[in-house]
Amino acid sequence: MIEIVNLYKSFNGQQVLCGVNLVVPKGKITVIIGPSGCGKSVLLRHIIGLLKPDRGKVLVDGINPADLNRAQLNEFRRKFGMLFQSAALFDSLSVFDNVAFPLRENKGIKDEARIKKIVNEKLELVGLLDAAHKMPDELSGGMKKRVGLARALVLEPQILLYDEPVTGLDPIMSVTIDKLIISMQKILPVTSVVISHDIESTFRIADLIAMLYEGKIVECAQPEDFRNSKKPVVIEFLKMARGNREKGEYL
Ligand SMILES: Nc1ncnc2c1ncn2[C@@H]1O[C@H](COP(=O)(O)OP(=O)(O)OP(=O)(O)O)[C@@H](O)[C@H]1O
Ligand SMILES: [Mg+2]
């Protein structure tokens, strides 16, 4: 579904990605892990065509977003639902209107009864039907993420990109969000790419785990094989991630 081929990207002389290769299979959950600042969000931004590679390419269903003009790129982005690292809600809009936003703005739907039906369906999916009238500053961190997820789902995308869906959440809320990600996968025929810092969550949801380190994918394997990886950087990362978890740092 998504193929990343020899991707390079630097900012002002700082080399962030240096030869990333990754194949994301259709209909599965692929989790990308790696230390803070290693370029995970930058990689995600290339997939959706928000950044252009210096070298190499991204292919989504055979389409390279870097080849598209603005109109084509807008069309291309309709394939995606994206949950940003900070839920990125519009503060001045209610939960309902946040979720309705893509329907009104991107699809130009005017029929309010239809909008209400679709929005309520998605809010129910994330368990927030009762909070439809609330404003973002009245929500907890976990609720905001769930609103972000409902909004990402509202156009029924083929691909869902999640940038750190559980970071900063307590363990119980993390499990709730994980269950949602897995259930999305069961309800809808989507392909998911999840960026995560949380190793427990990663093992709960992943069909495939890819680790980004020093600008490259250093390991990409199914969870059991990943857990048993012999690569020193992977062993070290897993040990550190578990240590943080035990100290109660939900990074
Ligand atoms: N638009 C940009 N301009 C300049 N530098 C950038 C830009 N975007 C990202 N970077 C740099 O690229 C590096 C990787 O950033 P990125 O946000 O991808 O990290 P990350 O792996 O997502 O980290 P975290 O886990 O903390 O979210 C950082 O050093 C960051 O400062
Ligand atoms: Mg990031």
Side-chain angles (χ1 to χ4, degrees):
M1 184 87 192
I2 305 172
E3 206 181 341
I4 298 163
V5 188
N6 204 24
L7 192 69
Y8 281 77
K9 183 72 180 179
S10 66
F11 297 102
N12 315 315
Q14 178 202 358
Q15 195 70 44
V16 177
L17 303 179
C18 26
V20 172
N21 287 294
L22 179 66
V23 175
V24 173
K26 196 170 190 148
K28 304 266 192 232
I29 301 176
T30 299
V31 181
I32 299 173
I33 60 173
S36 183
C38 74
K40 302 181 296 297
S41 297
V42 167
L43 182 58
L44 213 60
R45 283 171 182 273
H46 278 89
I47 296 177
I48 196 167
L50 285 168
L51 286 173
K52 276 201 176 187
D54 296 338
R55 252 173 74 194
K57 62 184 172 184
V58 173
L59 293 174
V60 180
D61 258 344
I63 299 169
N64 181 351
D67 291 341
L68 304 178
N69 65 30
R70 185 161 276 281
Q72 291 167 324
L73 202 53
N74 281 338
E75 186 59 36
F76 170 81
R77 291 206 182 116
R78 290 194 182 184
K79 287 180 195 285
F80 296 91
M82 173 126 186
L83 179 62
F84 287 93
Q85 194 158 356
S86 58
L89 301 179
F90 302 109
D91 290 335
S92 59
L93 298 182
S94 69
V95 164
F96 184 95
D97 289 332
N98 260 285
V99 179
F101 190 86
L103 296 172
R104 293 180 175 138
E105 295 302 312
N106 304 19
K107 276 215 157 166
I109 300 177
K110 299 272 182 286
D111 179 350
E112 281 300 317
R114 192 169 152 219
I115 290 175
K116 191 166 178 190
K117 182 171 174 291
I118 302 173
V119 171
N120 285 348
E121 211 176 86
K122 301 305 179 221
L123 285 177
E124 192 165 8
L125 214 55
V126 300
L128 281 179
L129 205 46
D130 293 346
H133 60 282
K134 291 203 172 183
M135 299 304 284
D137 64 6
E138 298 173 286
L139 305 176
S140 71
M143 289 163 90
K144 282 185 191 165
K145 295 250 183 190
R146 284 189 279 159
V147 177
L149 181 54
R151 191 177 61 187
L153 289 172
V154 82
L155 297 180
E156 309 211 325
Q158 299 164 33
I159 303 167
L160 277 168
L161 305 177
Y162 302 88
D163 198 347
E164 312 239 358
V166 301
T167 300
L169 303 183
D170 66 63
I172 293 169
M173 188 47 73
S174 298
V175 172
T176 307
I177 299 277
D178 286 344
K179 284 188 178 154
L180 266 174
I181 294 174
I182 295 168
S183 64
M184 287 312 115
Q185 207 70 19
K186 296 206 171 118
I187 300 166
L188 309 164
V190 288
T191 299
S192 298
V193 180
V194 183
I195 289 181
S196 183
H197 258 127
D198 186 314
I199 208 67
E200 303 299 327
S201 158
T202 298
F203 280 112
R204 275 197 295 270
I205 63 175
D207 293 308
L208 197 66
I209 303 175
M211 180 169 160
L212 184 63
Y213 185 74
E214 293 185 341
K216 287 194 174 66
I217 298 291
V218 289
E219 182 71 288
C220 180
Q222 292 179 4
E224 267 323 294
D225 295 334
F226 194 91
R227 210 190 286 274
N228 298 320
S229 171
K230 298 279 178 288
K231 294 193 176 138
V233 285
V234 176
I235 295 170
E236 190 57 25
F237 184 79
L238 289 178
K239 212 166 85 189
M240 262 178 49
R242 291 223 173 79
N244 286 342
R245 187 89 205 172
E246 273 151 26
K247 277 189 280 170
E249 291 169 11
Y250 308 121
L251 278 172

